[in-house]
Amino acid sequence: MFDKILIANRGEIALRVIRACREMGIASVAVHSTADADAMHVRMADESICIGPPPSPKSYLSIPSIIAACEVTGAQAIHPGYGFLSENAGFVQVIEDHGLTFIGPTAEHIRIMGDKITAKETMLKLGVPCVPGSEGGVPDLATAKKLGAEMGYPVIIKATAGGGGKGMKVANSEAEMEKAFMTARAEGKSNFGNDEVYIEKYLQKPRHIEIQVFGDGKGQAVHLAERDCSLQRRHQKVFEEAPGPSISPEERARIGKICADAMANINYIGAGTIEFLYEDGEFFFIEMNTRLQVEHPVTEAIFGVDLVREQIRVAEGLPMSFTQDDLTINGHAIEVRINAEKLPNFSPCPGRITQYHAPGGLGVRMDSALYDGYSIPPYYDSLIGKLIVHGRDRNEALARLHRALGELIVDGIETTIPLFHNLLQEPDIQAGNYNIHWLEKWLARTYE
Ligand code: ADP
């Protein structure tokens, strides 16, 4: 059993992990850059240690500094949160070489799923349905054009190493292929150091449905239903809900079993998310994230489980504390992402918080590292909080979200809170009637 865990992250997710550690009687170590000396995760952890200057490559992404922090503090395990080093197979290798434990999947699984081409090949072999597209990488423009003609436009060209919405370009016709192909390649190269790309059919009106999976690394795996994350801007999620308003219990059981079986088959350990596009009753795999997701709280809310606690348990070699039969859905949950961004352009808006008040009451959870007087540094992600509501059904969750948003005060900077006030007025949102293109169209109508 671990006595002490180091959290290689910052912000709300670092706090989230500290909370699980405290409830389990495990001491926590926060790491921070010089810009984060006053951050809430530093205050809340049992110990903290400065690991470098503000830019992430010199602090939160510095593997030697994080390993040194473990050695200095005597932490036995590292929780990576999401982002930063959470899907870095090399990091996992170094952690293991130092006799420490990574709270997450194996380096091999991270490597397989981190490369989207290999991930698709692996999933196809495991019986998971995928988006139709090229078999493996597409070496040059001529091949890309040939495939486009065969598959029919529109198609999407994706960097195999891509993530965070980067390295993806749509071509609506052969005339658009050259630019899309070259741009996806260039973005793959400059953002991820890999210019290999592949091609997929571009679906016209899908929903983004992702299945939460969890494995013990010893051949047992379960699914915790789906989250609908279709409301996206520039391929980035802004509003997530569970269960998905368009998914029937039969469909859930079917795709859930396919995912759980696939994970059991590869002895997957810990939390993972298998992402699909869902159109006309069919699921198409797009990628797998081998970590805890930002939106994991909606799943926690409807199942009443603590996913971080489970991650720590299986990393300790313990079994999961639930079986598939124990997992039943209770009600409906919605999360909205509060970003320090100025509408309508979503430009980053760091600065000092003059007043902060978190909403409360039945079924309300606010995961945030804000406090009165806190200065949001300009160096990191603009996510400053997640408001999660849970109700007996979707309508109650929506009403609760409306009420909780009204209580939330974040003064001193611009945030995305007004966006959600507006969004909740929309009949389509009230009805759960939206796909991955809905939000961009609505934003164009509403703000431009
Ligand atoms: P990233 O790794 O950058 O998050 P994903 O492969 O997960 O990229 O895709 C992100 C989003 O891009 C999806 O949720 C969806 O909105 C859109 N997308 C990806 N692939 C397709 C496709 N084949 N057809 C239509 N939209 C797609």
Side-chain angles (χ1 to χ4, degrees):
M1 304 293 267
F2 305 135
D3 304 313
K4 201 185 265 190
I5 291 175
L6 180 139
I7 299 129
N9 216 302
R10 62 184 299 282
E12 69 85 21
I13 194 61
L15 268 185
R16 168 72 191 82
V17 179
I18 292 168
R19 286 175 171 143
C21 288
R22 190 140 303 147
E23 289 180 17
M24 295 174 84
I26 300 170
S28 54
V29 179
V31 294
H32 66 91
S33 70
T34 50
D36 273 343
D38 293 330
M40 189 57 102
H41 76 284
V42 175
R43 290 201 203 176
M44 287 290 177
D46 293 299
E47 283 172 65
S48 66
I49 187 158
C50 181
I51 51 164
S56 339
K58 300 205 155 142
S59 48
Y60 297 104
L61 291 171
S62 164
I63 296 175
S65 307
I66 290 167
I67 299 292
C70 269
E71 289 187 340
V72 169
T73 56
Q76 300 129 330
I78 300 181
H79 195 298
Y82 52 69
F84 292 130
L85 294 167
S86 61
E87 290 175 292
N88 184 317
F91 181 48
V92 179
Q93 201 59 61
V94 175
I95 289 174
E96 284 169 4
D97 292 347
H98 283 77
L100 301 164
T101 304
F102 178 71
I103 301 174
T106 60
E108 191 204 352
H109 286 156
I110 294 179
R111 218 170 266 128
I112 291 172
M113 299 304 170
D115 182 277
K116 293 184 182 185
I117 293 175
T118 323
K120 269 183 101 167
E121 283 166 0
T122 308
M123 288 299 192
L124 269 176
K125 281 196 203 119
L126 290 166
V128 178
C130 295
V131 186
S134 59
E135 268 172 45
V138 176
D140 50 50
L141 182 60
T143 315
K145 285 187 173 167
K146 188 164 160 283
L147 281 167
E150 279 167 24
M151 285 161 58
Y153 288 91
V155 298
I156 183 164
I157 298 101
K158 292 183 167 184
T160 188
K166 293 204 185 86
M168 278 190 294
K169 290 288 163 234
V170 178
N172 289 298
S173 63
E174 185 168 318
E176 289 180 19
M177 186 54 113
E178 179 164 359
K179 188 167 174 231
F181 185 82
M182 296 305 174
T183 315
R185 256 199 143 149
E187 283 189 17
K189 181 88 191 157
S190 63
N191 290 292
F192 311 100
N194 181 350
D195 70 358
E196 187 167 28
V197 297
Y198 63 107
I199 298 187
E200 269 176 6
K201 183 84 197 147
Y202 185 67
L203 302 181
Q204 304 285 312
K205 50 176 177 49
R207 301 181 76 122
H208 173 114
I209 303 287
E210 54 182 40
I211 309 292
Q212 175 72 55
V213 289
F214 208 99
D216 68 356
K218 299 168 185 162
Q220 299 291 323
V222 297
H223 73 86
L224 292 95
E226 74 284 352
R227 295 180 285 258
D228 190 323
C229 311
S230 302
L231 289 174
Q232 303 179 352
R233 178 179 177 270
R234 301 201 172 159
H235 307 302
Q236 301 263 45
K237 301 161 188 167
V238 297
F239 173 113
E240 301 105 342
E241 59 183 312
S246 62
I247 306 297
S248 70
E250 295 72 35
E251 284 177 304
R252 170 174 309 123
R254 183 176 66 83
I255 194 70
K257 183 167 186 330
I258 290 173
C259 291
D261 288 350
M263 293 301 104
N265 204 312
I266 60 170
N267 288 331
Y268 188 78
I269 183 164
T273 298
I274 307 186
E275 297 192 335
F276 294 91
L277 295 176
Y278 172 79
E279 192 172 80
D280 298 330
E282 275 192 89
F283 289 91
F284 303 99
F285 170 78
I286 45 172
E287 68 159 349
M288 175 167 182
N289 294 319
T290 50
R291 56 171 161 82
L292 195 69
Q293 302 263 108
V294 173
E295 59 273 22
H296 76 278
V298 290
T299 301
E300 294 187 323
I302 61 166
F303 285 104
V305 301
D306 179 337
L307 288 172
V308 177
R309 183 188 183 97
E310 291 303 318
Q311 288 186 298
I312 296 172
R313 280 179 62 93
V314 297
E316 284 175 326
L318 295 171
M320 293 181 278
S321 62
F322 40 69
T323 63
Q324 192 69 60
D325 288 343
D326 298 329
L327 294 166
T328 44
I329 296 178
N330 170 22
H332 196 96
I334 303 175
E335 171 182 286
V336 294
R337 297 193 190 193
I338 316 290
N339 290 347
E341 286 170 357
K342 190 169 157 52
L343 299 170
N345 299 320
F346 295 82
S347 42
C349 192
R352 188 167 174 275
I353 305 291
T354 52
Q355 206 192 352
Y356 172 63
H357 174 77
L362 182 65
V364 175
R365 166 174 172 181
M366 184 76 200
D367 276 19
S368 172
L370 293 185
Y371 59 86
D372 279 344
Y374 173 61
S375 281
I376 300 166
Y379 309 103
Y380 312 108
D381 195 83
S382 59
L383 181 80
I384 51 167
K386 307 185 310 205
L387 171 57
I388 304 106
V389 294
H390 181 220
R392 282 171 299 182
D393 55 29
R394 189 167 186 274
N395 283 339
E396 189 173 87
L398 284 169
R400 192 154 279 157
L401 179 58
H402 182 71
R403 186 273 288 170
L405 279 167
E407 290 177 19
L408 174 59
I409 300 171
V410 182
D411 281 347
I413 58 157
E414 300 276 346
T415 74
T416 50
I417 298 169
L419 172 79
F420 299 113
H421 282 296
N422 275 347
L423 210 50
L424 285 181
Q425 305 305 316
E426 287 296 325
D428 280 345
I429 299 300
Q430 290 164 3
N433 178 23
Y434 53 80
N435 61 38
I436 60 165
H437 304 299
W438 191 95
L439 186 68
E440 298 253 12
K441 286 187 200 148
W442 178 81
L443 285 169
R445 270 201 320 273
T446 310
Y447 290 99
E448 276 143 38

